């Protein structure tokens, strides 16, 4: 006479019930059955299977278009995966949750991608981590959170440097420059390029030359030169979020120096300033 709960059998029966409800398109009862399965597995000390059941409950909520609730269960599952000693599965679950919520809540998606990247980073799986940091960077740019995007891009670039993917470091330098110029921080943009000279192959590369021209044009308030760089194939075919940054970049003062130079070249209004200068000098000599 053993009066001990048989959680294993209970979990198995709940799982069967969940699948039956799911096949019958009864998503709410299916979700509840998966939660009961998760509870039984938890009571049985089977964290991995409990996490799987929580994920399935999340998928039912996704199919019901209840995305914030779905993400909550997937986050819960990821914590259990970590506790169970399967961090890779946790990171992949967080990545899936980020994709689910991205269209609805960009800030939440950023948080999930950063969490997932952190899990991979702790496991020293930098290639997987850097992809997720990259997703976070792009979404921060999309939200025009440029200060946070600058920090994220620096982290991304450092990771690519660590795994010796130098060509991608070049692209991240371009993204950094665009973000800093949108922050109106020319000094930080110039610093990013200067620091990149230490990356093998950057100095003299197409990316390097383009950024030097962009910074020069921006500093000179030369709208034409800035536009020429920003509409070049090099920037136009970057990730969409960065390509949009390039196209929307304006120079301080609306390119006044360039406008003045054009006016002087045309000779229309250029005649007046020289006369004024001569008058000034004449007055000074007298």
């Amino acid at each position: 006479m053993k009066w001990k709960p048989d959680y294993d059998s209970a979990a198995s029966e709940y799982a069967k019930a969940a699948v039956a409800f799911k096949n019958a398109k009864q998503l709410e009862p299916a979700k509840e059955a998966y939660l009961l399965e998760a509870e039984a597995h938890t009571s049985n000390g089977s964290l991995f299977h409990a996490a799987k059941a929580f994920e399935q409950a999340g998928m039912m909520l996704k199919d019901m278009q209840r995305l914030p609730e779905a993400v909550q269960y997937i986050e819960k599952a990821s914590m259990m995966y970590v506790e169970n000693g399967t961090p890779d599965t946790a990171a992949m679950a967080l990545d899936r949750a980020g994709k689910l919520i991205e269209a609805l809540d960009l800030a939440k998606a950023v948080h999930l991608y950063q969490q997932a990247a952190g899990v991979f980073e702790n496991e020293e799986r930098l290639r997987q981590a850097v992809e997720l940091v990259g997703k976070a960077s792009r979404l921060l740019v999309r939200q025009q959170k440029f200060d946070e995007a600058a920090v994220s891009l620096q982290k991304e670039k450092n990771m690519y440097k660590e795994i010796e993917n130098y060509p991608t470091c070049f692209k991240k330098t371009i993204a950094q420059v665009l973000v800093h110029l949108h922050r109106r921080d020319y000094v930080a943009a110039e610093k990013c390029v200067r620091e990149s000279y230490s990356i093998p192959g950057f100095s003299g590369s197409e990316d390097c030359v383009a950024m030097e021209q962009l910074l020069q044009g921006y500093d000179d308030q030369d709208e034409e030169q800035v536009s020429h760089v920003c509409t070049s194939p090099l920037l136009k075919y970057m990730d969409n979020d960065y390509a949009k940054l390039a196209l929307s970049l304006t120079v301080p003062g609306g390119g006044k120096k360039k406008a003045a130079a054009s006016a002087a070249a045309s000779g229309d209004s250029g005649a007046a300033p020289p006369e004024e200068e001569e008058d000034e000098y004449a007055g000074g000599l007298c």
Side-chain angles (χ1 to χ4, degrees):
M1 297 285 287
K2 285 175 65 183
W3 296 102
K4 186 181 176 183
D6 186 355
Y7 292 118
D8 195 43
S9 297
S12 178
E13 294 304 319
Y14 285 134
K16 288 176 189 174
V19 171
F21 282 129
K22 181 181 173 183
N23 291 340
K25 307 295 182 191
Q26 296 184 40
L27 301 179
E28 182 65 35
K31 184 240 342 175
E32 290 300 328
Y34 279 125
L35 291 178
L36 288 167
E37 182 197 351
E39 191 180 315
H41 281 308
T42 304
S43 298
N44 202 35
S46 183
L47 294 182
F48 182 83
H49 293 295
K52 281 288 180 191
F54 276 124
E55 264 204 274
Q56 285 302 313
M59 290 301 103
M60 296 304 98
L61 286 161
K62 182 204 83 162
D63 291 343
M64 289 187 272
Q65 298 303 308
R66 288 157 59 183
L67 298 180
E69 290 175 79
V71 166
Q72 282 180 1
Y73 282 119
I74 297 171
E75 280 189 282
K76 188 179 178 93
S78 74
M79 288 167 65
M80 295 181 92
Y81 286 134
V82 170
E83 198 177 338
N84 182 64
T86 48
D88 286 6
T89 314
M92 288 186 283
L94 289 166
D95 184 18
R96 282 194 292 274
K99 286 173 188 168
L100 280 186
I101 204 71
E102 199 173 296
L104 194 67
D105 187 343
L106 288 176
K108 180 66 176 176
V110 167
H111 174 68
L112 290 164
Y113 290 141
Q114 288 174 334
Q115 272 190 301
V119 174
F120 276 132
E121 197 176 357
N122 288 340
E123 295 300 303
E124 297 185 351
R125 294 186 59 181
L126 291 188
R127 282 179 173 78
Q128 287 80 6
V130 75
E131 284 181 25
L132 290 156
V133 176
K135 286 183 181 183
S137 299
R138 289 192 293 275
L139 295 190
L140 287 166
V141 165
R142 200 175 302 172
Q143 295 171 85
Q144 298 192 347
K145 293 181 176 178
F146 296 130
D147 289 351
E148 291 176 56
V151 173
S152 187
L153 278 164
Q154 185 62 53
K155 179 171 185 173
E156 200 182 339
K157 182 173 162 183
N158 290 343
M159 283 180 165
Y160 277 118
K161 195 172 178 181
E162 196 169 336
I163 61 177
E164 299 183 354
N165 185 339
Y166 300 130
T168 305
C169 288
F170 304 169
K171 302 305 175 196
K172 296 307 158 188
T173 300
I174 295 175
Q176 283 182 303
V177 169
L178 292 170
V179 164
H180 284 307
L181 292 182
H182 272 273
R183 293 174 64 237
R184 296 299 188 216
D185 191 341
Y186 175 86
V187 173
E190 189 182 37
K191 184 183 175 188
C192 287
V193 174
R194 200 166 57 245
E195 286 176 347
S196 294
Y197 289 137
S198 65
I199 299 171
F202 179 75
S203 186
S205 68
E206 182 187 16
D207 308 75
C208 175
V209 171
M211 288 306 95
E212 288 171 344
Q213 290 175 346
L214 179 59
L215 288 171
Q216 184 64 56
Y218 189 90
D219 194 36
D220 290 345
Q221 296 184 5
D222 186 339
E223 208 166 71
E224 190 176 306
Q225 183 166 323
V226 168
S227 177
H228 175 73
V229 177
C230 287
T231 55
S232 66
L234 181 67
L235 274 68
K236 198 190 297 183
Y237 298 118
M238 289 183 74
D239 284 322
N240 199 36
D241 291 298
Y242 300 124
K244 284 180 179 177
L245 273 192
L247 291 173
S248 62
L249 184 64
T250 56
V251 299
K256 286 176 184 172
K257 285 187 184 176
K258 176 60 184 154
S262 299
S266 68
D268 293 337
S269 56
E275 284 176 15
E276 286 177 34
E277 284 177 17
E278 286 169 15
D279 288 341
E280 286 175 43
Y281 288 130
L285 290 168
C286 290

